[in-house]
Amino acid sequence: SGMESRTAEAIILAAMSGDGDELRRLLPTNETPEEGGEPGSEESTDATANGWSVTDVYGSGPLALAASGGHANAVGLLLKARAAPEESNERDGQTALLLAAENGHDEVVAALLSGGADPATAAHDGTTALHAAARSGSEGVARLLLQRKEESEEGEELELSAAPAVSADAVDASGMTPLMAAAAADSAAVCALLCEAGACLEATDEN
């Protein structure tokens, strides 16, 4: 990974606990581009390119760990240090955005979306962040994800103008949509949001 194992382990632990001071001490600043790479070029756009991408023994990177724990400050620091917002766990395809949505962390979801996370990205089983928000009954997260869709044409205010649309009718491996997941979780508020966003009421899963 281009980084000493002790430093890598310390970054993982700091991300898990949300220790911003420790992350500031450990993370590369990336204030200047790597040799041969201009800012914004492929060589300098994420942590892997900058030589410090690390994962724990379960395949989770520091951004995913910080996001899962709801540590918005740590997530911001990691994104600033060019942690890749779309990095996923090789085992299950889970991304930081999916984990934040699953746990109802509104502030983290907002930071990840602003940092370039794609809400349409799915885990290996087809679960999207909207599925995760629906299953957990996280109205705030669902609103952020759907708002990103609505703002994608003119969202300068939220800095989401380049946002990809997120489908309210995406299906997972079992054919379940976010609306079905919200209904199964008895989350009337998320169901209402999804219906407002045009979720199909007639979709059926494999069962």
Side-chain angles (χ1 to χ4, degrees):
S1 63
M3 175 178 287
E4 288 187 10
S5 60
R6 273 190 297 181
T7 302
E9 183 178 353
I11 287 175
I12 290 291
L13 292 173
M16 287 179 68
S17 63
D19 190 337
D21 290 337
E22 183 73 348
L23 284 173
R24 286 187 189 91
R25 185 179 73 81
L26 293 166
L27 291 171
T29 60
N30 289 300
E31 291 176 353
T32 55
E34 297 269 315
E35 184 177 349
E38 293 299 319
S41 70
E42 187 174 346
E43 290 81 8
S44 61
T45 53
D46 59 33
T48 304
N50 283 280
W52 67 267
S53 181
V54 296
T55 58
D56 66 10
V57 294
Y58 302 105
S60 295
L63 188 62
L65 294 167
S68 180
H71 305 305
N73 180 51
V75 166
L77 290 170
L78 287 159
L79 289 170
K80 187 176 180 180
R82 300 186 186 274
E86 283 293 285
E87 184 178 53
S88 63
N89 190 312
E90 291 184 2
R91 297 186 180 193
D92 54 20
Q94 290 265 33
T95 63
L97 183 62
L98 272 162
L99 292 167
E102 181 180 277
N103 290 286
H105 299 313
D106 303 31
E107 190 177 353
V108 172
V109 167
L112 289 166
L113 291 173
S114 294
D118 182 351
T121 297
H124 295 337
D125 64 359
T127 296
T128 66
L130 200 52
H131 282 98
R135 288 187 183 124
S136 63
S138 301
E139 181 184 0
V141 171
R143 190 178 297 278
L144 280 168
L145 293 166
L146 292 168
Q147 184 178 48
R148 187 175 175 85
K149 176 184 179 182
E150 294 164 5
E151 295 279 350
S152 61
E153 293 182 3
E154 53 187 277
E156 293 182 7
E157 181 178 337
L158 296 176
E159 299 180 1
L160 300 178
S161 57
V166 53
S167 174
D169 289 323
V171 294
D172 65 13
S174 66
M176 183 170 281
T177 66
L179 182 58
M180 292 174 195
D186 292 325
S187 179
V190 176
C191 284
L193 281 175
L194 289 165
C195 289
E196 286 175 18
C200 178
L201 295 172
E202 298 179 2
T204 57
D205 64 13
E206 290 183 352
N207 300 313

